[in-house]
């Protein structure tokens, strides 16, 4: 793993980028620094889930303002909406899972991860992601998912590949699974009703599922790689090239935010309740992810290998082009 360095960001920047990206970057008036003493307005596209608690904490603690950033957090439905927002200049930075960013990069979008977002705890039985089944299901472990229907939040993405890896490691057939797309909030009910045989859920839906009597049959992120980096904060190569000082300031601020959240889990739980509807009783049952400060190259490569193996991409992913 390695810490993001601005010199590396500069070296990685590509001069030729999408014309629309360059146009929006110049029209926004937010690139190229700000007048002395003024805060530079920065909008970050995020998903309002437990994973992004650090950036809310960092904003509250003043880590961004200290570095001259006037931060606005804008919620999106997912990475699919946030990526084009970053590429168009609507957002200066965004939060998305690593596989989504790989797929976007494979389609020719010039973007890079500049800081980690969150990772698996690496602990079976104590992770924020799991595959659950009904309490009376005959599915006992990952290999039994072969021939079954499994709900994921997005087809052909990180859910598919990590669930398949759990099945593969447990001796089942990872190709003999029918994935169906459901929103995370709908998954516990779908499992209870039998509409799906299993579901890949993340917190708080792991805790909700267990409260409803569902059983965990696989810790898919743990099975995939030690402390798998799930998501990252990213930006366009145009911004890296045109305003490296802003990128450096953002990276420094989010790094301090990640460190703070990791060291203050009670404050992380409390801040989650300011932008979600998780109540006091449930938030105490939620398993928090880890918030590392270094990009995990090894686990990113593993996700790239699985994306190729499971047919999400036609050609090998150039991980070096995606990372800082």
């Amino acid at each position: 793993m390695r810490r993001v360095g601005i010199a590396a960001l500069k070296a990685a920047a590509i001069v030729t980028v999408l014309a629309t990206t360059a146009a929006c970057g110049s029209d926004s008036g937010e690139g190229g620094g700000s007048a002395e003493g003024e805060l530079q307005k920065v909008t970050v596209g995020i998903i309002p889930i437990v994973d992004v608690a650090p950036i809310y904490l960092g904003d509250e603690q003043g880590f961004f303002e200290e570095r001259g950033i006037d931060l606005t957090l804008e919620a999106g439905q997912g990475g699919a909406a946030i990526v084009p927002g970053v590429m168009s200049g609507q957002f200066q930075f965004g939060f998305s899972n690593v596989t989504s960013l790989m797929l976007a990069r494979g389609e020719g979008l010039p973007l890079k991860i500049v800081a980690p977002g969150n990772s698996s705890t690496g602990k079976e039985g104590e992770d924020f992601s799991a595959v659950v089944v009904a309490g009376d299901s005959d599915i006992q472990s990952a290999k039994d998912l072969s021939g079954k229907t499994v709900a994921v939040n997005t087809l052909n993405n990180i859910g598919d590949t990590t669930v398949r890896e759990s099945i593969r490691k447990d001796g089942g057939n990872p190709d003999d699974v029918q994935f169906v797309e459901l929103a995370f909030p709908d998954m516990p009910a779908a499992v209870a009703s039998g509409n799906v045989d299993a579901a890949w859920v993340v917190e708080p839906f792991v805790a909700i599922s267990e409260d409803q009597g569902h059983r965990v049959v696989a810790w898919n992120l743990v099975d995939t790689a030690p402390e798998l980096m799930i998501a990252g904060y990213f930006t366009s190569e145009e911004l890296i090239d045109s305003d490296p000082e802003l990128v450096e300031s953002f990276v420094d601020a989010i790094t301090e935010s990640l460190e703070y959240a990791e060291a203050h889990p009670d404050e992380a739980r409390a801040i989650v309740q300011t932008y979600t509807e998780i109540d006091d009783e449930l938030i105490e049952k939620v398993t928090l992810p880890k918030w590392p400060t270094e990009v995990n190259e090894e686990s990113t490569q593993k996700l790239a290998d699985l994306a190729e193996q499971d047919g999400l991409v036609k050609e090998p992913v150039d991980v070096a082009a995606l990372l800082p």
Side-chain angles (χ1 to χ4, degrees):
M1 296 187 288
R2 61 185 174 190
R3 173 71 182 271
V4 176
I6 194 61
L9 288 171
K10 289 180 181 178
I14 297 174
V15 176
T16 303
V17 295
L18 296 178
T20 55
T21 305
C24 290
S26 60
D27 290 343
S28 67
E30 295 176 354
S34 57
E36 186 177 353
E38 293 182 1
L39 296 180
Q40 189 167 356
K41 295 183 181 298
V42 171
T43 302
V44 182
I46 55 90
I47 309 167
I49 52 178
V50 173
D51 310 42
V52 297
I55 198 168
Y56 280 92
L57 268 181
D59 190 29
E60 181 180 75
Q61 293 295 317
F63 299 153
F64 292 89
E65 185 175 354
E66 289 169 4
R67 292 170 174 84
I69 294 174
D70 179 7
L71 188 69
T72 297
L73 301 176
E74 188 166 325
Q77 292 299 315
I82 293 172
V83 168
V86 170
M87 298 315 300
S88 70
Q90 176 187 358
F91 309 136
Q92 283 66 55
F93 301 90
F95 176 93
S96 182
N97 83 66
V98 173
T99 299
S100 289
L101 296 177
M102 286 179 183
L103 297 177
R105 183 81 199 192
E107 292 173 358
L109 297 180
L111 54 79
K112 281 185 178 288
I113 294 173
V114 295
N118 68 311
S119 77
S120 163
T121 65
K123 298 178 181 179
E124 191 168 304
E126 300 179 44
D127 202 20
F128 77 103
S129 161
V131 181
V132 299
V133 299
D136 59 356
S137 172
D138 59 358
I139 299 171
Q140 299 300 316
S141 69
K143 66 181 179 182
D144 298 330
L145 295 171
S146 298
K148 306 295 185 179
T149 57
V150 180
V152 292
N153 69 317
T154 305
L155 294 174
N156 300 316
N157 210 284
I158 194 169
D160 299 34
T161 58
T162 55
V163 172
R164 284 193 177 101
E165 184 67 359
S166 286
I167 296 170
R168 188 180 290 117
K169 284 194 169 182
D170 198 38
N173 181 359
D175 298 323
D176 190 21
V177 180
Q178 180 183 352
F179 289 102
V180 297
E181 188 170 293
L182 284 177
F184 283 127
D186 298 331
M187 291 185 186
V191 170
S193 66
N195 287 340
V196 296
D197 298 307
W200 168 51
V201 291
V202 296
E203 292 290 19
F205 303 106
V206 177
I208 290 173
S209 294
E210 291 182 320
D211 274 357
Q212 294 181 4
H214 300 337
R215 290 184 291 107
V216 174
V217 294
W219 301 95
N220 54 311
L221 304 185
V222 179
D223 290 338
T224 301
E227 297 187 9
L228 180 73
M229 187 175 79
I230 311 306
Y233 291 93
F234 69 100
T235 191
S236 66
E237 290 186 343
E238 191 276 335
L239 184 64
I240 291 171
D241 189 53
S242 66
D243 200 346
E245 290 183 2
L246 173 61
V247 176
E248 182 177 29
S249 295
F250 177 83
V251 170
D252 287 346
I254 193 62
T255 297
E256 188 173 6
S257 302
L258 293 163
E259 290 174 342
Y260 190 88
E262 187 69 20
H264 299 83
D266 290 341
E267 291 184 43
R269 291 179 190 277
I271 202 80
V272 167
Q273 293 183 283
T274 67
Y275 62 89
T276 71
E277 297 180 355
I278 301 176
D279 60 29
D280 292 342
E281 183 178 357
L282 181 58
I283 194 64
E284 291 305 317
K285 297 178 182 179
V286 166
T287 299
L288 297 176
K290 289 187 71 66
W291 288 299
T293 58
E294 297 179 334
V295 170
N296 190 324
E297 297 179 56
E298 292 82 5
S299 78
T300 302
Q301 185 62 58
K302 181 59 180 290
L303 287 175
D305 294 342
L306 291 178
E308 183 182 6
Q309 181 175 357
D310 293 327
L312 272 63
V313 294
K314 295 180 180 179
E315 298 181 357
V317 176
D318 184 356
V319 170
L322 177 66
L323 301 183

